[in-house]
Amino acid sequence: MRVLVTGGAGYIGGTVATILMQAGHQVTVLDNLCHSKRNEVPAGVSFVQADVADRARVESLLRELQPDGVLHFAALIEAGESMQKPEIYFRNNTASTLSLLEAMHATGVQKLVFSSTAAVYGEPESVPILETAKLVPTNAYGESKLLVEYMLQWFHRIHGLRYASLRYFNVAGALPGRGEAHEPESHLIPLILDVALGRREKILIFGEDYDTPDGTCIRDYIHVADLADAHILALNALLGAGDGKLICNLGNGSGFSVKEVIESARRVTGHPIPVEVRPRRAGDPARLVAGSEKAKRELGWTPKITDIDAIMKSAWEWQQVRYKH
Ligand SMILES: NC(=O)c1ccc[n+]([C@@H]2O[C@H](COP(=O)([O-])OP(=O)(O)OC[C@H]3O[C@@H](n4cnc5c(N)ncnc54)[C@H](O)[C@@H]3O)[C@@H](O)[C@H]2O)c1
């Protein structure tokens, strides 16, 4: 396959681009490097430094490549920041994607896999969260992605776009040579591993009075390699005969509490990982766990690395190598 990967210098896009390339596909990465560096572009891909919103550049690239599909990872991802500066989220995540869709339509490129998020659900009424749950984002980041999902439905209905919208839960873990490095970092596992590496003094726990067995929030951690498999299956499904519209959750199906994740890091790293408990943060639901049956049923996808220690170990191995240099 010939594939265009937007945001392919980032954590997830870079991992998927690497796996696609290793499987023998022809991969072009488009990234403006606003949240990544040139040396994070996977080795061996063709690289174009450009913004998804650069309509003329993207259109000429699509014309030249005529890819079988586009995997669209490029986005700003900080929910907290989106509540300070919603405009940059609607511009970069929503409006830029409209520009990409226009360029795809103009060039006859008809298949798109979109990185959506569990944040489209907001506070769930029940868990596990199914795709049919209410869509009520509690932050502008989630809304910026939900608006894209609405546009995708209309492009599908009117222009015949074939798309998969994959709603990821908490993506974690690493492949050898490639792992999670956001700047700034707000995700729990890399923050905990920073403590184990001596780069941070302690880990803050926001609230231990939730209605959960140990009082801390429960989240669903999905290994990035499993996520990559789901993208390849989704792209293949779009190339097949189905109706060309797929919306599904990608999660591990089991939740782990903040304290369980910290315990795992203690086992894996041997470090005591000091903690400090702070009051709850506004808008943090007690439990976010995916119902991923639909992805299993419709894509034949099953996550393989579901044990929290295995996820932690892969992240830890990568973080150690990363800071050796
Ligand atoms: N990390 C998670 O746990 C998680 C969970 C749910 C959904 N997602 C989604 O997955 C996708 C990838 O997330 P990630 O963790 O790899 O983030 P990341 O920040 O590591 O990667 C995003 C990449 O997109 C690039 N980018 C951003 N805006 C761009 C633009 N306008 N034009 C070109 N390039 C642009 C950045 O430079 C970066 O390389 C995002 O769409 C995110 O919303 C991530």
Side-chain angles (χ1 to χ4, degrees):
M1 285 189 287
R2 262 196 316 275
V3 185
L4 176 65
V5 179
T6 76
Y11 168 45
I12 304 171
T15 305
V16 176
T18 303
I19 289 177
L20 277 167
M21 223 182 43
Q22 287 167 350
H25 302 293
Q26 198 182 314
V27 180
T28 300
V29 162
L30 179 139
D31 199 302
N32 64 5
L33 304 182
C34 68
H35 275 276
S36 48
K37 301 190 188 74
R38 179 67 182 83
N39 65 6
E40 288 164 337
V41 175
V45 302
S46 309
F47 176 59
V48 176
Q49 184 170 350
D51 197 295
V52 173
D54 184 343
R55 171 71 198 276
R57 186 83 179 83
V58 172
E59 195 171 314
S60 81
L61 183 64
L62 289 172
R63 254 183 235 295
E64 183 193 318
L65 290 175
Q66 280 299 316
D68 296 297
V70 176
L71 302 183
H72 181 34
F73 297 94
L76 299 177
I77 68 161
E78 285 297 318
E81 182 188 54
S82 80
M83 296 303 281
Q84 314 283 322
K85 302 175 190 166
E87 58 282 3
I88 65 171
Y89 281 72
F90 293 117
R91 170 76 51 202
N92 194 72
N93 295 358
T94 315
S96 296
T97 304
L98 175 58
S99 174
L100 172 66
L101 292 175
E102 288 171 325
M104 288 176 65
H105 179 56
T107 54
V109 176
Q110 286 281 61
K111 293 163 199 92
L112 177 82
V113 181
F114 172 61
S115 299
S116 190
T117 165
V120 297
Y121 296 112
E123 285 264 1
E125 285 177 343
S126 59
V127 287
I129 304 172
L130 302 180
E131 290 81 357
T132 47
K134 278 191 191 152
L135 301 170
V136 194
T138 52
N139 52 58
Y141 163 67
E143 188 74 43
S144 75
K145 292 276 182 172
L146 181 56
L147 290 170
V148 172
E149 290 207 11
Y150 291 142
M151 294 194 300
L152 294 175
Q153 291 184 28
W154 289 106
F155 271 72
H156 168 74
R157 191 162 141 188
I158 299 166
H159 294 314
L161 175 77
R162 296 174 68 77
Y163 79 96
S165 189
L166 305 179
R167 296 176 179 161
Y168 321 156
F169 282 62
N170 289 33
V171 186
L175 295 182
R178 183 141 214 127
E180 186 172 13
H182 296 113
E183 192 50 55
E185 190 56 79
S186 62
H187 292 175
L188 182 61
I189 291 179
L191 289 176
I192 296 175
L193 294 179
D194 266 357
V195 179
L197 286 163
R199 302 181 70 246
R200 231 172 258 273
E201 207 186 304
K202 61 192 168 198
I203 193 82
L204 302 179
I205 297 179
F206 294 99
E208 56 175 357
D209 55 353
Y210 285 93
D211 182 19
T212 59
D214 66 20
T216 62
C217 288
I218 293 178
R219 295 290 179 267
D220 183 324
Y221 294 87
I222 167 84
H223 195 281
V224 68
D226 284 326
L227 200 78
D229 286 348
H231 282 74
I232 295 169
L233 291 167
L235 193 52
N236 278 321
L238 297 181
L239 293 168
D243 72 351
K245 174 183 169 184
L246 176 71
I247 298 172
C248 59
N249 290 339
L250 294 178
N252 176 342
S254 345
F256 299 99
S257 73
V258 172
K259 284 186 178 167
E260 285 173 332
V261 175
I262 294 168
E263 275 309 322
S264 167
R266 288 178 177 143
R267 284 192 295 276
V268 167
T269 66
H271 190 282
I273 319 273
V275 301
E276 183 183 318
V277 178
R278 295 264 178 96
R280 292 181 181 198
R281 284 184 302 206
D284 267 349
R287 289 169 200 262
L288 290 176
V289 179
S292 287
E293 292 308 313
K294 190 172 177 196
K296 289 179 190 161
R297 206 172 50 241
E298 300 207 6
L299 293 176
W301 175 76
T302 313
K304 298 184 190 83
I305 311 171
T306 53
D307 172 57
I308 189 66
D309 283 6
I311 295 173
M312 186 67 70
K313 189 161 171 284
S314 73
W316 176 231
E317 282 165 1
W318 181 73
Q319 292 287 359
Q320 286 172 292
V321 172
R322 177 183 174 205
Y323 288 111
K324 236 184 222 162
H325 305 299

